[in-house]
Amino acid sequence: PIRDSKQGSFQIVDIVEHMRPVTKFTVQVPDGNVLASIVRKATRISTTEKPGPVHIELPEDIAAGTAPDTVYVPNPIRRPIAEGKAIKAAVELLKQAKRPLLMIGAGANRQRSIRAIKQFVDGTGMYFFTTQMGKGVIDERHPKYLGCAALSSKDYIHAAVDIADVIVNVGHDTVEKPPFFMHAESAETRKVIHLNFYPALVDNVYFPQVEVVGDIGNAIWQLNETIKAENVKFETPMFEFIKRLIDDALVDGTNDDSFPMNIARVVDDVRAVLPEDGIASLDNGFYKIWFARLFKAYGPNTVLLDNALATMGAGLPNAIAVNMLYPNRKVVSISGDGGFMMNDAELATAVQYNCNLVQIVLNDNRFGMIDWKQNNLGFPAYGLDLKNPDFVKHAESFGATGHLVTSTKDFASKLKLALDAGGVHVIEVPISYEWAKEKVKGFAKETSAIMEKAMEKYGPVPNVSSLPEENISIKRVADELELKDHKGEAKKMKPEPVAEEPLQIANSRQHKTDCGEGEAKVQMTITKGDFVPMYVGSKPVKSKERLDVLNKYTQETFCQVSLGDSGVIDNAIQLAEKAAPRMAQLKSWEKKKILMNVVKEATDRFEEFAQMLCVEAGKPIADARGEVKRMIITFELAAEEATRLYGEFQPLDISEKSSGYSGIVRRFPVGTISMISPFNFPLNLVAHKVAPAIAAGCPFVLKPASKTPLGALILGDILSKDPLLPEGAFSILPCTRDAADLLTTDERFKLLTFTGSPSVGWKMKSRAGKKKVVLELGGNAACVVDELVPNLEAVVSQVIHGAFYQSGQSCISVQRLFVNDSIYDVFRSALVEQVSALKAGDPSDPEVFIGPVISEKDAQRMADWIEEAVSEGGKVLCGGKRDGVMVEATIIENVPHMCKAFSEEVFGPVLCIEKYNGSDFRSIIDLVNDSDFGLQAGVFTNNFNKAFYAFENIEVGGVVINDVPSIRVDSQPYGGVKSAGLGREGIRYAIEDMTEMRVMLMKNAGKLEIP
């Protein structure tokens, strides 16, 4: 209370002032009459400009009173746009420039601004770099990304900054420290354009010559359009060269196996394990510099970097908030031991709220950042040692799971395990900063060497020679923190000598991707117009016959691939048979090394694989990248299983007659395998056949889908270069269906594994003879929404993804949706609204969710099935139309069950929805079972008994509780019943099919005296 109360007068904490540093607005409500206006003001402040928190304190006695029944309805506002003369001045400056750079700061991290900046970079070809808080505004795998200004001066990025003649500074926020790219001596040779929502705060390191003030998105769009109209071009080869040198330099330390770990290796492992949309929340410490420099952010707000030592301890609370906002994304908090212990009690909060996050504690038993600065300034070490607890037991005391890293190679696997397991995990990582400290001392000299090499190759830059050879850390601490040595002067030290490595430049093949506009620096082995070889007996072979591969969006021929005939297939089988003994004799470590080489090469060629999927399958680029990641995981799983082909010992003395007998059971490769893969997952479904075959020691002949063979052929390129894989061990052969008949009927094959349509698969089984057969044949997956678990928004989002991702072309795409009648109306309304807003079009556009289906013939079939459903009484709630290979995301209500859209596999973006009597759960399970197929089903329920009833009674290969049936974890046993298939995939289970048990019986083994 604040009126007539002694309690109010001696309140110890002024809550409003307490909240002021961490909010955009904070106020105490003094009277109920002003409550509505305060709420309106707070709401506007929190949502306008850059969104942020606000705080309203409502005292007890004010809360007990009354307030007018007033509501101030918010009105949309538009930010002011930049003035035309300012845009013109900026363009004139850029027209005079030869080597401009774009710097992206924290203020640019807004949705409209992000799109406009990406278009600006792609349109102008301008190279860019970021501040620490600007990371991820543009995907840092972009070919024009130079790096992050992790240090304010003399870092590698300044090799580019110091030769730039104009810097366009977008969204530099006053809360972040700027890179030092302005000083009095450079004012005539390097101009700066300030582009932000507010004017520049001018000081001795920032005094821009042109200021463009207004909405960033609009201003950058105006600049882009004007530059484009006036055909302004810039000189970029020097920046391209510098980028390659920087990228090479940043590799140093990332492969270091020494222990305790060095920070470069930690960063590299975190980036490798964390998914593309995963979020890294950084505390403040010496390690933060290395995350800013080395950790590539793939999207906005995926690397959360604070900006001052005053925020030590922020990593874990930030991670908790992030997990609450994005419960389906992987979250990692990274802290030093000192920073973590400042807020370790927040582990209890994380556990209480059932968070899923991993806290990495970098333990050097010191305040490392302060120690670094203290040492550089010549002060004696004082008061920085820490006596840390056992972090594993410390975590467990809060109810979290603790892990201790005991070797460098142990870290990545422990992190992956913790992320996949869910819950709250703490990983203690013993770390040494000695390498990093020495490395920082040499930054200035290395940066000068990069500049000198660039100018040696491309000619000198006026007024630029090289950077001063001072120690970067000393200069930074002295100049920026204004700390002095004992004599009152900034202390300087001689830099450590740096050995120069010979320059090596990768041979990057520049091309215009057929999946989108603009130049992409991706090393592509297949480009538009190429004639691609097949692989016969491990070797590339070109044939006379050719197969056209279409760009599925444009329907134009992208390239041609070699087409095998029956003679080629017969030769491939002979070579595989010849290689079979050598494949069977491969040691476990050799098989693991072969598989891990695929992991390494696929990771290096990640974007090449993704672009090929985008072209040949029409897969939206986000889905394509997701599939490449899954393929890599599948080969990793196989590499692990290659060393786990265990047998067993059997005591066989089970009767008097068998007394003295024992047995050893082992699994042996079945022999040569025939493989046929489908078009919808051209990489991962190939991986699910190829990877376990290598792990089992079986040679194979693979026929990839004729419509999507390119990804498999790139995989063939990788395998063909592996020296451990016996010659003849594999063939990858695009071929006609007639020629491929040998893959079914030839008795030299010991196993046929096929993924495709039921009509084809069951016929193949009937003609396969004595060989084993594994079939994965699809279905019309059902999903039951009995309860909104955890809430309406989450379930709608999951259903949309399950039904429409990659245009519904998945065996376990949600096709039949049954919703409890008590929640049906609200669920249907939300679902239709969001599906109607899905963006369709060019799959290379990252915002596109609905791309083309595989062929116009299939698109017409889908349209016919939709028309049949409507003519029989179904109601189209959204979509329903076709344009060429594009089929709209379609929802049809109350489709009669005999219609093809309900009873058969649509394999497209079509969802049938109906409600059911929520009081009769048994009946809806019976309806789910009323299908010829049985691959997977999903059930949303919090009722334990209903979940188990569904699991025990739905006739499918897999039941997914509280998610859609469209979930496949690559290690699970995966396959169907009824018409949906035969046998199981999933690496361990596939290996079982690809091997046979053999028992060795032994009489009186180990007996020295035989009775």
Side-chain angles (χ1 to χ4, degrees), residues 894-959:
N894 297 329
V895 177
H897 295 179
M898 78 289 188
C899 291
K900 294 184 180 67
F902 188 93
S903 62
E904 298 188 23
E905 185 177 33
V906 177
F907 222 66
V910 178
L911 174 65
C912 301
I913 184 173
E914 61 185 72
K915 60 185 173 183
Y916 68 90
N917 182 349
S919 63
D920 190 359
F921 191 72
R922 285 187 177 87
S923 294
I924 196 58
I925 297 304
D926 291 341
L927 186 53
V928 170
N929 284 334
D930 186 18
S931 169
D932 289 337
F933 304 100
L935 189 48
Q936 291 199 158
V939 179
F940 286 87
T941 180
N942 260 337
N943 186 303
F944 182 82
N945 291 324
K946 286 183 177 180
F948 260 84
Y949 182 85
F951 178 50
E952 292 178 354
N953 290 277
I954 298 180
E955 298 165 0
V956 290
V959 177

Side-chain angles (χ1 to χ4, degrees), residues 425-450:
H425 295 255
V426 175
I427 302 178
E428 178 186 349
V429 181
I431 193 160
S432 170
Y433 290 115
E434 295 309 309
W435 173 88
K437 290 174 183 177
E438 292 303 310
K439 185 71 174 173
V440 169
K441 291 177 183 177
F443 278 171
K445 189 167 185 178
E446 287 187 77
T447 303
S448 290
I450 291 173

Side-chain angles (χ1 to χ4, degrees), residues 543-799:
S543 63
K544 293 181 180 178
E545 297 297 321
R546 302 186 178 201
L547 173 68
D548 289 342
V549 179
L550 302 183
N551 178 313
K552 299 306 183 294
Y553 180 65
T554 65
Q555 290 294 289
E556 298 175 349
T557 297
F558 174 72
C559 69
Q560 293 180 316
V561 299
S562 297
L563 194 64
D565 56 23
S566 57
V568 172
I569 295 174
D570 181 72
N571 184 36
I573 300 171
Q574 291 182 43
L575 293 169
E577 287 282 279
K578 187 176 180 181
R582 284 171 291 154
M583 279 293 289
Q585 291 165 10
L586 284 174
K587 298 176 179 62
S588 297
W589 70 265
E590 290 176 315
K591 293 184 289 186
K592 180 178 182 179
K593 190 168 183 179
I594 292 166
L595 291 160
M596 287 307 296
N597 182 61
V598 176
V599 171
K600 177 187 178 299
E601 290 295 320
T603 302
D604 291 344
R605 298 168 70 169
F606 185 97
E607 196 61 22
E608 178 186 6
F609 274 112
Q611 293 291 342
M612 283 300 98
L613 280 178
C614 187
V615 171
E616 67 172 343
K619 192 170 294 225
I621 190 63
D623 290 339
R625 289 176 179 140
E627 183 175 345
V628 179
K629 285 195 291 186
R630 285 187 62 193
M631 176 193 72
I632 291 169
I633 290 170
T634 299
F635 273 96
E636 284 181 329
L637 289 169
E640 294 168 4
E641 292 296 336
T643 63
R644 293 200 285 257
L645 287 173
Y646 303 136
E648 64 181 18
F649 173 82
Q650 288 187 332
L652 298 176
D653 51 350
I654 61 173
S655 68
E656 185 177 351
K657 186 175 181 180
S658 62
S659 181
Y661 275 96
S662 59
I664 292 177
V665 181
R666 278 182 55 194
R667 304 197 74 93
F668 291 83
V670 294
T672 305
I673 298 175
S674 164
M675 304 173 175
I676 302 175
S677 62
F679 71 80
N680 59 321
F681 285 92
L683 283 180
N684 199 40
L685 293 185
V686 164
H688 269 283
K689 300 181 188 304
V690 170
I694 294 172
C698 297
F700 62 88
V701 179
L702 166 70
K703 176 193 177 297
S706 297
K707 294 173 181 175
T708 56
L710 301 182
L713 292 171
I714 296 174
L715 178 60
D717 178 55
I718 292 172
L719 292 175
S720 70
K721 296 171 182 174
D722 194 307
L724 289 176
L725 200 60
E727 186 175 327
F730 80 93
S731 295
I732 299 177
L733 306 170
C735 56
T736 65
R737 187 171 289 184
D738 290 341
D741 195 52
L742 276 175
L743 297 174
T744 301
T745 60
D746 198 294
E747 290 297 333
R748 288 173 291 181
F749 288 118
K750 299 301 183 276
L751 170 70
L752 164 63
T753 171
F754 169 83
T755 302
S757 69
S759 59
V760 175
W762 291 114
K763 287 178 183 176
M764 292 174 69
K765 181 181 180 298
S766 69
R767 303 177 60 246
K770 299 176 183 178
K771 65 178 67 65
K772 297 166 71 174
V773 176
V774 176
L775 303 174
E776 198 279 278
L777 305 176
N780 56 354
C783 184
V784 177
V785 181
D786 194 58
E787 297 177 75
L788 297 174
V789 185
N791 53 51
L792 174 65
E793 182 183 1
V795 179
V796 168
S797 176
Q798 287 165 284
V799 168

Side-chain angles (χ1 to χ4, degrees), residues 368-436:
M369 179 73 144
I370 303 171
D371 175 58
W372 173 58
K373 291 189 174 184
Q374 184 173 269
N375 179 65
N376 280 340
L377 289 167
F379 291 107
Y382 177 76
L384 300 178
D385 291 335
L386 296 172
K387 294 182 179 178
N388 288 323
D390 180 327
F391 284 111
V392 172
K393 292 181 178 178
H394 192 63
E396 291 170 351
S397 71
F398 287 100
T401 303
H403 310 266
L404 173 63
V405 172
T406 55
S407 72
T408 294
K409 293 182 179 179
D410 187 39
F411 173 56
S413 59
K414 273 191 166 58
L415 177 57
K416 186 175 187 301
L417 177 69
L419 283 170
D420 291 343
V424 181
H425 295 255
V426 175
I427 302 178
E428 178 186 349
V429 181
I431 193 160
S432 170
Y433 290 115
E434 295 309 309
W435 173 88

Side-chain angles (χ1 to χ4, degrees), residues 500-515:
E500 290 191 12
E501 296 291 333
L503 179 63
Q504 294 181 348
I505 303 174
N507 181 21
S508 180
R509 184 173 178 182
Q510 184 172 331
H511 73 289
K512 188 168 185 177
T513 67
D514 198 60
C515 194

Side-chain angles (χ1 to χ4, degrees), residues 318-329 331 354-357:
N318 282 348
I320 293 171
V322 167
N323 180 245
M324 290 178 173
L325 283 171
Y326 304 104
N328 294 323
R329 294 167 73 174
V331 180
N354 297 316
C355 290
N356 294 310
L357 60 87

